[in-house]
């Protein structure tokens, strides 16, 4: 598969930006988080895997409404109703895979991308050799409980009460509130500072993010609050790697439940790393990914 950037046209007429890096016969399709995030933390994935002695072609793309891809007018209720759905983004993954000619490949999804990876493995698993679920649990209730605990680890109760008051009043632009969110980000999302993912201006796909998540990673007010997938995990039949940061916003106790529910799966963790553990500690993160792919390729992978 030719490396470099490529714009693909979806059947719905929208355009998505894609990029393929690396070499070899092993193909990895990478899904970003957010939702409304972008591909950037996958930009060095092929190089990082090569450092681990494994040649992999890594294909990443910006989902609809994200960075370099088309930005629909989500203010139009008909467009929002059609494209701000789990079903749309899941089927988008398969259309991207098909249009790029990928089959019998690996799928890696970070955060929201890990949600899509779980659903894709159930609905379209015939196209996958293996699945890598990165920093995403199978039940939003567990995530919400975890981020509330994370606040308690950092702030006194008075500050937690202040944040909740802002959230109840929809006062997310409050300067003190946003400063608190940034403290949480540094502790549990991007521990490696300065974070190379920060920009002068916020460039995320905010309409998509707000529709599913809310204002920030530590409050869930959108559609994600009702996402529950545990009963489907047994339908994930291919080899599966679960990878989490040890200081993740996502709870490790839930990851352990997922490992038991997914028939052929393994759980690994990355020390001194938060939610974006591929950035915080790439040597450990990509060793886990490379070892997984190597074992699946050799037919020696065994879940725990």
């Amino acid at each position: 598969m030719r490396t470099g950037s490529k714009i693909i046209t979806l059947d719905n007429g929208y355009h998505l930006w894609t990029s393929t890096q690396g070499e070899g016969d092993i193909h990895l399709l990478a899904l970003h988080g957010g939702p409304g995030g972008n591909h950037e933390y996958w930009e060095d994935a092929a190089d990082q895997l090569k450092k681990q002695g494994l040649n992999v072609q890594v294909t990443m793309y910006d989902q609809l409404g994200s960075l370099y891809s088309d930005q629909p007018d989500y203010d139009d209720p008909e467009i929002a109703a059609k494209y701000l759905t789990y079903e749309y983004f899941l089927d988008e993954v398969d259309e991207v895979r098909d249009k790029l000619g990928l089959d019998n490949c690996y799928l890696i999804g970070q955060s929201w991308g890990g949600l899509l990876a779980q659903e894709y493995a159930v609905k379209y698993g015939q196209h996958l050799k293996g699945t890598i679920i990165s920093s995403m649990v199978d039940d939003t209730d567990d995530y919400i409980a975890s981020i509330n605990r994370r606040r308690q680890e950092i702030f006194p109760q008075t500050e937690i009460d202040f944040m909740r008051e802002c959230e109840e009043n929809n006062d997310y632009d409050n300067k003190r509130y946003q400063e608190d969110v940034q403290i949480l980000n540094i502790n549990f999302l991007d521990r490696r500072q300065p974070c190379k993912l920060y920009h002068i201006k916020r460039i995320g796909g905010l309409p998509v993010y707000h529709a599913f998540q809310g204002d920030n990673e530590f409050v869930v007010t959108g559609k994600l609050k009702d996402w529950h997938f545990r009963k489907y995990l047994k339908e994930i039949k291919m080899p599966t790697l679960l990878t989490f940061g040890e200081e993740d916003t996502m709870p490790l106790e839930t990851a352990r439940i997922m490992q038991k529910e997914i028939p052929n799966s393994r759980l690994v963790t990355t020390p001194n790393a938060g939610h974006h553990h591929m950035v915080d500690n790439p040597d450990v993160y990509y060793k886990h990914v490379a070892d997984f792919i190597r074992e699946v390729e050799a037919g020696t992978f065994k879940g725990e």
Side-chain angles (χ1 to χ4, degrees), residues 219-261:
V219 60
V220 183
T221 57
K223 297 179 181 182
L224 277 171
K225 69 180 183 294
D226 299 316
W227 189 72
H228 311 285
F229 201 67
R230 186 161 299 164
K231 66 181 180 180
Y232 300 107
L233 293 183
K234 292 187 183 300
E235 300 177 35
I236 299 177
K237 303 300 184 184
M238 73 289 301
T240 301
L241 182 69
L242 299 156
T243 174
F244 289 72
E246 291 185 2
E247 302 299 331
D248 211 315
T249 53
M250 299 288 173
L252 287 177
E253 54 267 33
T254 301
R256 295 185 186 101
I257 294 172
M258 295 172 68
Q259 190 277 314
K260 292 177 181 177
E261 292 291 320

Side-chain angles (χ1 to χ4, degrees), residues 34-36 83-87 89 112 115 140 206-214 219-226:
Y83 293 110
L84 292 177
T85 69
Y86 294 108
E87 293 76 16
F89 283 103
W112 157 258
L115 178 156
T140 306
L206 291 181
V208 185
Y209 188 79
H210 290 161
F212 285 92
Q213 174 81 16
V219 60
V220 183
T221 57
K223 297 179 181 182
L224 277 171
K225 69 180 183 294
D226 299 316

Side-chain angles (χ1 to χ4, degrees), residues 116-281:
L116 295 175
Q118 291 176 58
E119 295 208 356
Y120 191 91
V122 170
K123 185 175 181 179
Y124 296 108
Q126 70 271 21
H127 298 296
L128 300 180
K129 269 188 181 179
T131 303
I132 304 163
I133 301 167
S134 179
S135 286
M136 187 61 200
V137 293
D138 60 341
D139 194 292
T140 306
D141 289 347
D142 291 3
Y143 167 58
I144 292 172
S146 176
I147 54 179
N148 285 330
R149 288 195 300 269
R150 288 306 198 186
R151 294 197 209 203
Q152 292 171 343
E153 293 175 24
I154 298 297
F155 296 125
Q157 189 61 45
T158 52
E159 200 64 22
I160 294 171
D161 291 342
F162 165 76
M163 294 188 75
R164 287 177 176 160
E165 182 180 353
C166 288
E167 289 158 8
E168 289 171 4
N169 295 327
N170 204 31
D171 187 18
Y172 292 108
D173 292 332
N174 183 287
K175 184 175 183 293
R176 176 176 156 192
Y177 177 85
Q178 287 299 324
E179 288 172 351
D180 286 347
V181 169
Q182 183 60 7
I183 291 170
L184 292 169
N185 287 342
I186 290 171
N187 279 275
F188 304 116
L189 262 71
D190 303 302
R191 291 175 63 85
R192 187 174 180 178
Q193 294 290 321
C195 178
K196 64 181 181 180
L197 301 178
Y198 291 173
H199 295 269
I200 294 173
K201 180 175 179 174
R202 188 169 181 180
I203 59 173
L206 291 181
V208 185
Y209 188 79
H210 290 161
F212 285 92
Q213 174 81 16
D215 178 80
N216 62 78
E217 292 293 287
F218 297 90
V219 60
V220 183
T221 57
K223 297 179 181 182
L224 277 171
K225 69 180 183 294
D226 299 316
W227 189 72
H228 311 285
F229 201 67
R230 186 161 299 164
K231 66 181 180 180
Y232 300 107
L233 293 183
K234 292 187 183 300
E235 300 177 35
I236 299 177
K237 303 300 184 184
M238 73 289 301
T240 301
L241 182 69
L242 299 156
T243 174
F244 289 72
E246 291 185 2
E247 302 299 331
D248 211 315
T249 53
M250 299 288 173
L252 287 177
E253 54 267 33
T254 301
R256 295 185 186 101
I257 294 172
M258 295 172 68
Q259 190 277 314
K260 292 177 181 177
E261 292 291 320
I262 299 173
N264 191 19
S265 64
R266 177 185 300 163
L267 170 63
V268 295
T269 62
T270 303
N272 192 28
H275 193 54
H276 294 140
H277 51 307
M278 75 287 288
V279 176
D280 288 342
N281 195 343

Side-chain angles (χ1 to χ4, degrees), residues 40-51:
E40 288 180 311
Y41 42 63
W42 299 128
E43 288 179 342
D44 66 344
D47 292 338
Q48 292 287 351
L49 289 168
K50 190 170 185 178
K51 281 173 58 178

Side-chain angles (χ1 to χ4, degrees), residues 26-30 49 56-59 106-108 132 289 293:
I26 301 170
H27 297 278
L28 175 65
L29 179 61
L49 289 168
V56 178
Q57 276 210 326
V58 178
T59 297
Y106 294 87
L107 181 68
I108 187 169
I132 304 163
V289 174
I293 294 175

